[in-house]
Amino acid sequence: MQIPSPLKFRLSLRQLLTIPYVVLILLLAVTVGALSYQTGSRAVDTVSSHLLLETVGRIGQAVDRHVVGSGAVLEAAFPDGMPAVSDIRTDMDALRTRFWIATSLHLDPNNYVYYGNRMGQGLGLYRHSRTDGELRVKLDPADYRSFFRFTGIDGKLQLASTETKLFDPRERPWYKAGAVEKLHTWTSVYIDFVTEDLVATRARRVTGRQGQFEGVVATDVSLRALNDFVTQLKVSPNGLAFIVEPNGDLIASSASPNVKTLADGSKARVPATLTGNPLISAIYAEVQARLPANSGDAAAGTAPRGPQTFNVAGPDGQTIHAAYEVLKDDAGLQWVMVVAMPRSDFMSGVTENVVRTAILSTLAALAAIAIGLRILNRLAGDLKHLSEAAKRSHDGDLHWPDDASRPAEIGELAQSFVSMRQRLQTDELTTLANRDAFLLRLRQRIQAAHQSGDTRFAVLFIDLDRFKMINDQFGHNVGDQVLVEVAQRLRDTVRAEDLVARLSGDEYVVLLDRVNDREGLERVRQQIQAALKAPLKALDAVALDVLDFGGSVGEAIFPDDGTDAESLLKKADRRMYGRKFARRDQMATGPRRRESDSIFSGLDK
């Protein structure tokens, strides 16, 4: 009985190479998808916390910009220790001047400073612009305020209007708050008497010569711009942000108004619990519970330092990520900034990422099958690769991968292509870089300069003097020796990182990779000029007596003289010929080449 050979049950080479790849990629795709979802889900809390804290910080910066200059405004209006007079009539000019200076410190938002005294008098200066102001005057408690417009610090007052509502500064919140506090104090946010916008006022009491209380100076900070900032803040598709006072009244909100109109036409504040937005109510209730309470004041006492994050169940049961921070200053300002967004706003990105991963995994599996099949055709692929490389080299693209490491005949063929590429880049006589290699290096250097901002480099154009006479008198062999000797001199004169190339005939170019200034470039140019003047070993002593050998060097610096290869080389070419013909009385030169005949006139950019 004949035993079947085990070789009959072996997998084919195609199967042996393809199946493991396919299985491995499929397993990897499933694993990556599962890990991607799990990792994304776990990362939601971290990502949301960073985003919420960053948003709270942005709101805090906006608030700080609104209130930071108010203290300096009050000090400029009534410097600490300066006594106030009982009747502002006797000091109106000085008050007007100081108020103008005070409102110049932070014109936006502290463009209004005013003063009320215990007699019921009031004086305020409102700045419409850098040059235009409005003086609001009340000299008798029974009078209505008069509004005077003027231009410049000492401009003539012109009556603009008289108020129709009786204004008594002693009844205003800012006056009452400043009268009882010895230092700076903030009033609760209130609706402005004139504009009907929300306003926060910083106030300070002012005393007379005997230390008795005389009145209160104050400056307004309109909260309209702050509310606009919060309203336009893009938290997330379903997120929101709001600022609230400790008593629960809204200062600004991205999801509800902060002021409402009552039935009688008057304006009233909107509490966070009565906005009609259940999400704001739920978030505020959680923040209120987290802040230390003191006599019913939800944000009084010692508030947590820095922003805090938390999660809370929303009205529809979904998880809400939120953050808050209590902003306080030494004048009693205490506002709570809150940012919140549903978890679903974050998870949508995770879900999209899982879908993308599944698509990429499918594509990867298909790619694995293709790779397994192509492995069997490696030889054909290698030959095709080398064929394409040869074609690209023919087209002038010298940057293709070396394949010298491939085994046997393919490696030898690849090594031949490497050698060919080297020859394509090198001048055969001098072993310098040739014209194509130099232009490629120059354009790469220009591109690198644009990308990195390192823009100082230079091009030198060198043309030998009397080289035609050397060829005619001594023959081309000696001429070739001269070209080789000059090439070595140029190498020895410049730095290792600089590139020396032979363009054609007796013309050379140098790419100075880095120059500091034109003075340094000129020193290098003169060194090269001096190196060219030295006696040549390729010529005998008799020839040196009758031949004044040397060369002319022109320079161009990037980007002053040009921003592309053609401009730089043309500029250096012109300067070289300018110097060559400037010495025509000392040297006998060949016929001047026309500018249009320059070998660079046809360069493509």
Side-chain angles (χ1 to χ4, degrees):
M1 180 177 179
Q2 187 177 6
I3 300 175
S5 173
L7 295 176
K8 294 182 180 180
F9 302 101
R10 290 183 180 180
L11 296 174
S12 67
L13 181 60
R14 181 185 299 271
Q15 294 171 333
L16 184 63
L17 295 176
T18 303
I19 292 175
Y21 271 102
V22 174
V23 173
L24 177 62
I25 293 300
L26 289 176
L27 290 176
L28 182 61
V30 173
T31 303
V32 169
L35 291 177
S36 176
Y37 182 81
Q38 293 178 3
T39 303
S41 179
R42 293 173 182 175
V44 162
D45 288 338
T46 301
V47 173
S48 63
S49 295
H50 284 295
L51 180 59
L52 290 169
L53 294 177
E54 179 184 356
T55 306
V56 168
R58 291 177 58 192
I59 297 175
Q61 292 174 358
V63 173
D64 188 63
R65 286 196 299 269
H66 273 71
V67 303
V68 68
S70 55
V73 171
L74 295 186
E75 289 302 317
F78 260 104
D80 191 22
M82 174 177 286
V85 297
S86 299
D87 191 337
I88 65 175
R89 294 184 183 91
T90 62
D91 200 28
M92 184 175 297
D93 290 339
L95 285 172
R96 174 185 169 185
T97 299
R98 295 204 305 271
F99 284 12
W100 177 274
I101 295 172
T103 53
S104 298
L105 297 178
H106 301 280
L107 191 60
D108 182 15
N110 301 115
N111 64 333
Y112 186 30
V113 63
Y114 47 91
Y115 170 68
N117 63 16
R118 56 191 178 89
M119 295 175 57
Q121 296 176 318
L123 181 69
L125 195 149
Y126 183 91
R127 293 286 290 278
H128 293 280
S129 66
R130 287 285 178 187
T131 57
D132 297 327
E134 182 177 270
L135 197 66
R136 301 175 178 179
V137 182
K138 179 182 176 71
L139 299 179
D140 189 278
D143 291 342
Y144 292 95
R145 277 195 303 181
S146 298
F147 291 17
F148 297 89
R149 298 294 294 267
F150 64 97
T151 299
I153 187 171
D154 295 321
K156 182 180 179 181
L157 299 179
Q158 296 180 347
L159 181 63
S161 63
T162 301
E163 211 164 39
T164 58
K165 297 179 181 179
L166 186 61
F167 172 80
D168 189 341
R170 296 168 296 185
E171 298 300 322
R172 302 305 297 161
W174 56 269
Y175 186 94
K176 295 178 180 179
V180 299
E181 295 288 341
K182 293 184 178 180
L183 302 176
H184 289 240
T185 184
W186 285 98
T187 67
S188 297
V189 176
Y190 62 94
I191 301 175
D192 183 74
F193 187 76
V194 177
T195 64
E196 296 185 341
D197 290 328
L198 289 187
V199 171
T201 299
R202 185 166 184 156
R204 179 173 65 84
R205 64 183 291 158
V206 178
T207 59
R209 295 187 179 278
Q210 305 302 321
Q212 76 282 7
F213 171 74
E214 284 293 349
V216 176
V217 62
T219 183
D220 283 351
V221 178
S222 174
L223 302 182
R224 175 191 290 271
L226 184 61
N227 186 62
D228 292 342
F229 171 81
V230 174
T231 300
Q232 298 170 8
L233 194 63
K234 302 300 181 183
V235 181
S236 74
N238 300 292
L240 57 84
F242 61 90
I243 305 174
V244 65
E245 285 193 279
N247 63 4
D249 286 343
L250 286 177
I251 297 173
S253 172
S254 64
S256 66
N258 56 4
V259 175
K260 62 182 178 180
T261 303
L262 301 179
D264 60 0
S266 61
K267 302 288 184 177
R269 301 284 303 280
V270 177
T273 55
L274 299 177
T275 61
N277 188 313
L279 185 55
I280 291 181
S281 300
I283 295 298
Y284 175 70
E286 182 65 25
V287 171
Q288 188 180 38
R290 290 173 175 270
L291 293 173
N294 182 14
S295 302
D297 188 344
T302 304
R305 293 185 177 181
Q308 306 293 317
T309 60
F310 63 91
N311 295 335
V312 64
D316 55 359
Q318 66 173 320
T319 301
I320 305 297
H321 296 292
Y324 73 94
E325 183 176 12
V326 179
L327 181 68
K328 303 176 68 175
D329 70 359
D330 55 3
L333 182 71
Q334 189 166 270
W335 294 349
V336 184
M337 302 169 294
V338 185
V339 179
M341 57 190 72
R343 183 183 180 86
S344 58
D345 284 358
F346 291 97
M347 289 302 296
S348 61
V350 175
T351 303
E352 293 172 359
N353 182 63
V354 172
V355 172
R356 287 194 298 267
T357 302
I359 295 174
L360 292 176
S361 298
T362 302
L363 295 175
L366 296 175
I369 297 174
I371 291 173
L373 295 174
R374 288 183 63 86
I375 290 176
L376 298 177
N377 302 314
R378 179 176 180 181
L379 179 61
D382 290 343
L383 292 175
K384 181 180 179 181
H385 173 76
L386 293 177
S387 176
E388 292 176 352
K391 182 179 182 299
R392 291 168 60 186
S393 296
H394 179 268
D395 293 338
D397 184 0
L398 303 179
H399 289 272
W400 45 273
D402 294 346
D403 293 306
S405 61
R406 295 183 180 274
E409 292 80 8
I410 298 299
E412 294 176 3
L413 183 59
Q415 182 61 49
S416 299
F417 275 107
V418 172
S419 300
M420 181 184 69
R421 181 182 64 180
Q422 183 66 25
R423 290 194 298 270
L424 289 174
Q425 292 179 313
T426 306
D427 176 65
E428 184 177 0
L429 174 64
T430 63
T431 70
L432 294 175
N434 61 17
R435 179 179 183 272
D436 291 336
F438 180 84
L439 291 175
L440 180 62
R441 173 75 173 273
L442 177 57
R443 286 168 179 149
Q444 291 173 344
R445 184 63 180 87
I446 291 173
Q447 183 179 7
H450 285 306
Q451 293 174 349
S452 65
D454 179 16
T455 60
R456 307 292 291 182
F457 67 89
V459 172
L460 298 177
F461 195 106
I462 303 163
D463 184 79
L464 301 183
D465 296 332
R466 298 180 179 273
F467 182 74
K468 183 177 183 302
M469 184 179 296
I470 292 177
N471 272 337
D472 294 341
Q473 184 173 349
F474 300 98
H476 288 283
N477 289 336
V478 175
D480 289 347
Q481 295 176 27
V482 169
L483 294 176
V484 172
E485 186 174 350
V486 169
Q488 187 58 46
R489 289 189 184 185
L490 294 176
R491 283 196 190 100
D492 296 339
T493 303
V494 300
R495 301 164 299 189
E497 63 268 26
D498 300 328
L499 177 65
V500 181
R502 181 189 176 203
L503 290 184
S504 64
D506 60 340
E507 291 179 324
Y508 299 80
V509 285
V510 178
L511 173 60
L512 297 178
D513 188 69
R514 188 182 301 274
V515 295
N516 295 326
D517 48 39
R518 286 194 178 273
E519 290 75 16
L521 175 59
E522 177 61 19
R523 287 194 296 269
V524 175
R525 192 192 68 79
Q526 292 180 1
Q527 289 172 1
I528 292 177
Q529 192 111 17
L532 297 176
K533 290 287 291 183
L536 291 166
K537 295 180 181 180
L539 302 177
D540 56 22
V542 176
L544 292 175
D545 292 337
V546 298
L547 187 62
D548 183 15
F549 189 77
S552 301
V553 184
E555 80 285 352
I557 192 168
F558 180 93
D560 302 349
D561 297 324
T563 57
D564 57 73
E566 182 180 18
S567 300
L568 291 170
L569 288 168
K570 282 187 175 181
K571 190 70 174 182
D573 187 24
R574 293 191 191 101
R575 286 177 174 164
M576 180 274 294
Y577 270 94
R579 291 190 175 96
K580 177 183 286 288
F581 288 103
R583 305 197 321 270
R584 62 182 179 274
D585 294 333
Q586 290 79 27
M587 297 178 60
T589 63
R592 182 173 184 176
R593 184 203 309 161
R594 293 176 301 161
E595 182 177 323
S596 61
D597 294 333
S598 172
I599 63 171
F600 303 105
S601 61
L603 288 178
D604 57 329
K605 295 184 179 179

